[in-house]
Amino acid sequence: MSASAARSIKPVLYGYYRSSCSWRVRIAFALKGIEYEQKPVNLIEDGGLQLTDQFKKINPMQQVPAVTIDGITLSQSLAIIQYIEETRPEPRLLPADPKQRAQVRIISDIIASGIQPLQNLYVIQKIGAEKVQWAHHFINRGFEALEPILKTTAGKYCVGDEITMADICLVPQVFNAERFKVDMSQFPTIRRLNQTLTEIDAFKVSHPSRQPDTPDDLRA
C-alpha cells in the first residue's frame, strides 16, 4: 500500500472509555479534527480483553491505547500524540519555542510516567484492599510536584496560552484524582487549568461519559 493510500484510511483507536491514556489520544484527535474509528477493549470483562492473544498481537504490552494509522500500529499515548503532531502539525500541540516545548514535555512526563502508572488498573488490582489509599498517595505526591511547576509555566493553559500535550495529559489525571477523592483545593493552579480546559469542546466530546463503550449508567 502506498503512503498516500495508507494516509487516506481512517485511524483506528483501540481504547477503553475510562482509560486516561486512551482519553489523551481522543483529545488529540479531537483537537486536530481527525476522524477515527473506535474499537473498545474492555479492561474488566472476562478478566480483561487486553490480555487476550488477539490483542497481544496489536500491542505486546497488552495495554490501551493502541492506534493503527498510516499503515502502522502505535502504542503508548505520548508516542501516538507526538506522531500525530509530526504528521498533522496543525493546530500544533507542541510550542514553537524550544524552552516551552521542554516545559510541555516535563509536565507530560510527570503525569504519564510519574503519576498515572502508579494508579492504573493493573497496579490497583495488585494492591488489593489498600488501593484507594495507594492511589490517593501517589496522585497527591505527583500533584505536589506539579503545582509549583505549573505556577511558573501557566498562562491560560498549562504552558502559556496555547493548548498543548501537557493539557491533554492534565485533564484525564484530574479526573482520576477526583475519582480517588483527592482534595483539589490544595492545588489551585491545577484546578483552575482543569476548569478552563473541561469547557473546551475537544475535551468534552472525548470525555469518558461520552464514548461508545460507556456504560449506560455513566453516560452523560
Side-chain angles (χ1 to χ4, degrees), residues 110 114-116 118-119 132-148 173-174 176-178 180-188 190:
I110 287 173
I115 305 175
Q116 187 275 328
L118 291 163
Q119 43 91 153
V132 173
Q133 295 93 319
W134 171 279
H136 195 281
H137 169 78
F138 283 106
I139 295 171
N140 257 316
R141 180 175 179 269
F143 278 6
E144 285 168 0
L146 198 57
E147 175 72 16
Q173 187 55 62
V174 174
N176 285 344
E178 291 172 343
F180 287 110
K181 311 300 182 186
V182 172
D183 177 11
M184 292 304 298
S185 67
Q186 306 170 85
F187 311 113
I190 293 174

Side-chain angles (χ1 to χ4, degrees), residues 4 9 25 56 79 89 110 119 140 149 152-153 156 166 183 187 193 198:
S4 59
I9 296 172
V25 176
K56 190 174 183 180
I110 287 173
Q119 43 91 153
N140 257 316
I149 292 171
T152 66
T153 64
K156 187 175 181 181
D183 177 11
F187 311 113
L193 292 166
T198 52

Side-chain angles (χ1 to χ4, degrees), residues 53-74:
D53 289 340
Q54 181 181 6
F55 188 70
K56 190 174 183 180
K57 294 175 183 176
I58 297 168
N59 183 2
M61 274 296 284
Q62 297 178 286
Q63 298 173 332
V64 293
V67 170
T68 57
I69 185 170
D70 299 343
I72 60 173
T73 301
L74 302 174

